[in-house]
Amino acid sequence: MLDILIIGGGLAGLINAIHLSKAGLQVKVIEKNAYPKHKVCGEYISNEVLPYLNYLGIDPFAEGAVAIDQFSLSTVNGKEINTHLPLGGFGISRYTLDHILYRKALEEGCTIEQEIVTNIDFSNDFFTTTTRNGAQYFSKFVIGAFGKRSNIDVHYQRAFIQQKAPFLGVKGHYLGDFPDNLVALHNFKGGYCGVSKVENNRINICYLTDYKAFKKYRNIKIFQEEVLFKNPHLKALFAQVQPLFEAPLTISQVSFSPKKTIKNHILMSGDAAGMIHPLCGNGMGMAIHSALLLSQALIRFFEGNSADRLNLESVYTKQWETTFRKRLIAGRIFNTTFKSDRIFELGLSGLLLFPKLLPFFIEQTHGKTLSVGN
Ligand SMILES: Cc1cc2nc3c(=O)[nH]c(=O)nc-3n(C[C@H](O)[C@H](O)[C@H](O)COP(=O)(O)OP(=O)(O)OC[C@H]3O[C@@H](n4cnc5c(N)ncnc54)[C@H](O)[C@@H]3O)c2cc1C
């Protein structure tokens, strides 16, 4: 019997795997895709998680990550404001980052299977997890780290699945001119586009749009020309970059509805527990931080310092809510502001008069620097 089975080997699942294996627990990850793999993501990570990554033995800069400390924000019409990022961050592709974490998890003694989980049954105080090819795994705990939207969410009819998920994400890597230390967020009608550098001098351009805005065109090239290029910064950027992917990657049905941290005793980690709007540039930070909270709670349990399963579940849920509630609310408010061109234009005019307010707003969607002791 395994101590912990983790479903999903993305950021949260692999961080959990490394931390728990390091603590001497018997851990297995089931991930449906092979490594390495590109993912739709802005690929800017807040420095708040850097000390924790270093504690786990991961140094993104040794793999070519790029330090970022400047932020630029523009409206649909191209009005722009620039500021220093309060905490800063770094750019690294998910292709590279997830692969480093995968290798580290194996090094720590964790096993990883490439399969799709289709069913999780809990009875007699243990889990039986079944995969599409019929394999079964038995474990004391299951961590659900299956991301934004999975077949398992549908299987369990989790509440957010019933609600509308009207966002489409598009991402590509490019070569061209763009400052190494800058992350830019350019607004366009129906969405926003993040631009920043990752390793090997690549520029990541990743945007999220309301599906309604996209539906009229149903073609990425035309949509970009007709909608994104209304913002002069995006028009100038796309005019000088060369794509490195044959076609951009896309994901649809992205939802920001609140989720629950526990379902049928499955402990949710990362986006499966809750997701902040990507415009805050902190989803990966949150996924990594939630994996830390959950790993610590599980280690306390196995050391005999947690009364029972229900106590562990309630402590983790409380910690998750206390840690992330404020930034999730701030993210929702910013997203609403971005949705209305007029309000956003007015807000940006205000920020041009009081530029010190922008770092203050950014801080509301981020946490303090993580260390394993806190
Ligand atoms: C458009 C967009 C831009 C973003 N930009 C940024 C940014 O710049 N900065 C930032 O910090 N955050 C950003 N985010 C958020 C960030 O991508 C996520 O918060 C982060 O990927 C969460 O990690 P995770 O491990 O929870 O999920 P994932 O990384 O999605 O991992 C989930 C894994 O579970 C696997 N899986 C699912 N179902 C099964 C199953 N049944 N069996 C086996 N495996 C399964 C999947 O294959 C996947 O590998 C962005 C998000 C979007 C949508």
Side-chain angles (χ1 to χ4, degrees), residues 7-8 144-150 153 158 160 259 269-273 275:
I7 306 169
F146 32 73
K148 294 170 250 315
R149 190 181 188 90
S150 161
D153 295 313
R158 291 182 79 196
F160 79 93
K259 298 178 181 175
S269 188
D271 282 358
M275 194 176 165

Side-chain angles (χ1 to χ4, degrees), residues 9-11 13-15 17-18 21 29-31 33-37 58 94-114:
L11 217 45
L14 290 171
I15 294 285
I18 297 166
S21 301
V29 174
I30 304 186
E31 164 56 46
N33 291 313
Y35 300 92
K37 189 176 188 294
I58 295 144
R94 293 299 297 275
Y95 185 89
T96 296
L97 180 62
D98 289 22
H99 199 210
I100 312 171
L101 298 177
Y102 165 72
R103 291 197 312 258
K104 187 74 194 162
L106 292 176
E107 200 184 300
E108 292 295 344
C110 170
T111 53
I112 303 182
E113 308 291 338
Q114 191 191 338

Side-chain angles (χ1 to χ4, degrees), residues 40-44 71-76 80 168-174 178 182-196 203-210 220 223-224 227-238 241 248 278-281 335 338 344:
V40 175
C41 182
E43 302 183 330
Y44 164 82
F71 177 58
S72 143
L73 179 66
S74 78
T75 63
V76 176
E80 191 182 29
L168 172 78
V170 181
K171 165 246 178 93
H173 281 175
Y174 299 81
F178 193 79
L182 177 71
V183 57
L185 196 61
H186 298 300
N187 203 27
F188 59 85
K189 205 167 177 49
Y192 36 85
C193 176
V195 189
S196 54
I203 305 168
N204 179 327
I205 304 183
C206 179
Y207 57 88
L208 191 78
T209 175
D210 195 319
I220 288 179
F223 177 67
Q224 289 179 177
V227 180
L228 270 73
F229 293 3
K230 294 267 174 350
N231 182 321
H233 297 284
L234 286 172
K235 188 172 182 187
L237 178 75
F238 275 96
V241 293
L279 81 98
C280 304
N335 186 55
F338 261 69
F344 183 49

Side-chain angles (χ1 to χ4, degrees), residues 320-337:
W320 197 98
E321 279 166 9
T322 317
T323 310
F324 302 122
R325 191 179 38 220
K326 202 181 97 194
R327 57 177 109 167
L328 285 172
I329 293 172
R332 264 175 227 134
I333 294 171
F334 294 153
N335 186 55
T336 311
T337 312

